[in-house]
């Protein structure tokens, strides 16, 4: 039964189209996370936690992201394979290293005096739009969720006392706070992704979901 569930997740309608959009989404998300890190206005909660670990250990962001998601991957495999797909593996293995790649490229472009506030705000604004759109497409192609996202879903599914929204909020706040205490920046990016990602997913889904059915 588990093998059948996993196989169904790996074979979906319009697989070629889904894979192209999934790959593009992961690349754009990785680029946007790198820009967020560079301009210093914070990142999403999951990235904040991994960046905090990276700041304390000296290990690359990509490796911290991979190890953290691998630890979260095991309970997801054991409890609910329906949440696992190609997108899960792509996010877990590739996203952090894509961000690392772009971080190195951006560091080489920073002028000696650093980016001006106007340049930082412009980079931030463009990247925020790109992040919200790419993350929305990542969800809409429905190729599996990242372990970071799957764990609060599992917790909410196995408790009657807490709603998913409450579990997800506590989950994000806990990891965000830990990342901040470890040295990662927290700022405007965190607030905007927290409030705007859900509506962005709904907006994109209402317009493009038919492309993948």
């Amino acid at each position: 039964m588990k093998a059948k569930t996993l196989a169904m997740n790996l074979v979906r309608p319009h697989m070629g189209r889904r894979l192209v959009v999934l790959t593009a989404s992961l690349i754009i998300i990785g680029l946007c996370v790198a820009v967020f890190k560079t301009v210093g206005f914070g990142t999403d909660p999951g990235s904040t936690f991994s960046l905090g670990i990276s700041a304390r250990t000296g290990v690359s962001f990509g490796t911290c992201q991979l190890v953290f998601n691998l630890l979260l991957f095991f309970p997801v495999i054991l409890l609910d394979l329906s949440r696992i797909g190609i997108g899960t593996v792509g996010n877990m293995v590739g996203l952090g290293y894509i961000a690392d790649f772009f971080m190195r490229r951006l560091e080489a472009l920073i002028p000696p005096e650093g980016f001006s506030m106007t340049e930082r705000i412009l980079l931030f604004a463009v990247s925020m739009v790109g992040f919200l759109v790419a993350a929305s497409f990542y969800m809409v192609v429905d190729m599996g969720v990242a372990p970071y996202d799957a764990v609060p879903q599992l917790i909410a599914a196995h408790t009657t006392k807490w709603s998913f929204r409450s579990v997800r909020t506590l989950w994000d706040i806990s990891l965000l706070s830990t990342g901040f205490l470890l040295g990662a920046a927290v700022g405007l990016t965190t607030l905007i992704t927290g409030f705007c990602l859900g509506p962005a997913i709904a907006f994109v889904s209402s317009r493009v979901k038919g492309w993948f059915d």
Side-chain angles (χ1 to χ4, degrees):
M1 182 62 70
K2 287 188 175 183
K4 183 178 180 180
T5 300
L6 184 59
M8 290 175 62
N9 292 342
L10 298 177
V11 181
R12 309 297 300 280
H14 301 295
M15 278 297 292
R17 188 178 301 173
R18 289 175 186 265
L19 289 173
V20 169
V21 174
L22 172 67
T23 302
S25 297
L26 289 174
I27 292 171
I28 294 171
I29 292 170
L31 170 60
C32 293
V33 169
V35 174
F36 293 153
K37 165 68 164 53
T38 302
V39 300
F41 292 138
T43 57
D44 61 280
S47 298
T48 299
F49 177 80
S50 294
L51 285 168
I53 297 294
S54 177
R56 279 300 178 96
T57 63
V59 178
S60 74
F61 169 72
T63 300
C64 290
Q65 190 87 331
L66 173 59
V67 172
F68 176 50
N69 276 289
L70 278 173
L71 293 174
L72 300 178
F73 192 50
F74 292 113
V76 179
I77 292 175
L78 293 174
L79 296 174
D80 192 351
L81 275 179
S82 69
R83 303 178 194 275
I84 302 298
I86 295 172
T88 306
V89 178
N91 187 299
M92 180 174 66
V93 177
L95 184 57
Y97 291 113
I98 292 170
D100 273 344
F101 172 81
F102 284 117
M103 284 178 194
R104 291 192 294 269
R105 296 301 178 273
L106 287 169
E107 286 173 2
L109 297 176
I110 300 174
E113 67 278 9
F115 290 123
S116 68
M117 180 58 70
T118 300
E119 290 170 332
R120 290 172 64 201
I121 292 173
L122 180 60
L123 286 168
F124 166 77
V126 173
S127 297
M128 178 55 66
V129 173
F131 179 88
L132 291 173
V133 173
S136 298
F137 270 98
Y138 172 82
M139 298 299 293
V140 171
V141 296
D142 194 22
M143 297 288 287
V145 297
Y148 177 91
D149 298 310
V151 168
Q153 291 175 358
L154 287 173
I155 294 172
H158 287 80
T159 180
T160 58
K161 295 182 179 180
W162 297 86
S163 66
F164 169 71
R165 184 173 181 177
S166 298
V167 173
R168 181 61 192 245
T169 299
L170 289 172
W171 175 251
D172 284 343
I173 290 174
S174 298
L175 292 176
L176 180 68
S177 301
T178 304
F180 175 72
L181 291 173
L182 290 172
V186 173
L188 189 58
T189 305
T190 313
L191 293 174
I192 293 178
T193 54
F195 284 105
C196 296
L197 185 54
I201 293 171
F203 178 83
V204 171
S205 178
S206 67
R207 284 157 177 77
V208 306
K209 192 166 179 60
W211 298 358
F212 309 106
D213 292 337

